[in-house]
Amino acid sequence: MLKKSLADILVERKVITPAHKEEYEVASRAENLSFEEYIRRFEKVSDVDSAQAFALKFELPFIERVTEKMADTDLLAKVPLLFLRKNVVMPVRVDDRILLLTSNPFEFQPLDELALLIENSQPAVAPRSAIIEAVNRYYPLEGTKEMIAELGEE
């Protein structure tokens, strides 16, 4: 069975109309971008709608937002902050599973590299903004906090 395209999923979910689908496909080719990159770059579809469509397309779990319970500082500490920010990926713990969040499963290289660092994990999809906000909020900065405290004492 042929899998549906992201564009078809967005139409099926009534996020975009068939006319918009055609318009965005033509425009993406004119810009020399994939459909996925075009809708993200030109903000044609919300972060959440795009992530939900990717989750459906790739049959992956969808995480709308990262909670404090999901954020595991031990997992995060295994990965350089710059890598997480640059690739917009994040490991989280949901129940007894380790999920590697991405907003775009087509970008598989960062997920592969993250999977090498964090074994027994599986990919999942989350909105780009949710991943960025969670990395900024939950990345362990104990060393920085200690340094600030020491400076305050001096």
Side-chain angles (χ1 to χ4, degrees), residues 70-87:
M70 292 177 189
D72 184 323
T73 54
D74 292 335
L75 283 176
L76 287 169
K78 291 181 178 183
V79 188
L81 178 60
L82 184 61
F83 179 85
L84 297 174
R85 284 187 174 159
K86 178 182 176 200
N87 296 292

Side-chain angles (χ1 to χ4, degrees), residues 108-136:
F108 57 86
Q109 186 172 354
L111 286 177
D112 288 348
E113 291 176 22
L114 200 52
L116 289 173
L117 289 173
I118 302 172
E119 296 177 355
N120 300 318
S121 58
Q122 69 179 76
V125 182
R128 181 178 180 83
S129 57
I131 297 171
I132 292 168
E133 190 266 332
V135 167
N136 290 338

Side-chain angles (χ1 to χ4, degrees), residues 41-126:
R41 185 176 294 175
F42 294 101
E43 299 177 354
K44 298 297 183 182
V45 175
S46 79
D47 230 8
V48 174
D49 287 332
S50 177
Q52 286 174 332
F54 272 127
L56 287 170
K57 177 170 179 50
F58 288 96
E59 299 175 350
L60 294 172
F62 172 73
I63 305 295
E64 188 164 355
R65 71 182 195 90
V66 178
T67 64
E68 189 172 349
K69 184 178 178 184
M70 292 177 189
D72 184 323
T73 54
D74 292 335
L75 283 176
L76 287 169
K78 291 181 178 183
V79 188
L81 178 60
L82 184 61
F83 179 85
L84 297 174
R85 284 187 174 159
K86 178 182 176 200
N87 296 292
V88 192
V89 294
M90 179 181 180
V92 295
R93 192 174 300 276
V94 177
D95 302 321
D96 289 330
R97 298 179 305 164
I98 298 173
L99 301 178
L100 306 178
L101 301 182
T102 181
S103 64
N104 185 352
F106 279 120
E107 295 173 0
F108 57 86
Q109 186 172 354
L111 286 177
D112 288 348
E113 291 176 22
L114 200 52
L116 289 173
L117 289 173
I118 302 172
E119 296 177 355
N120 300 318
S121 58
Q122 69 179 76
V125 182

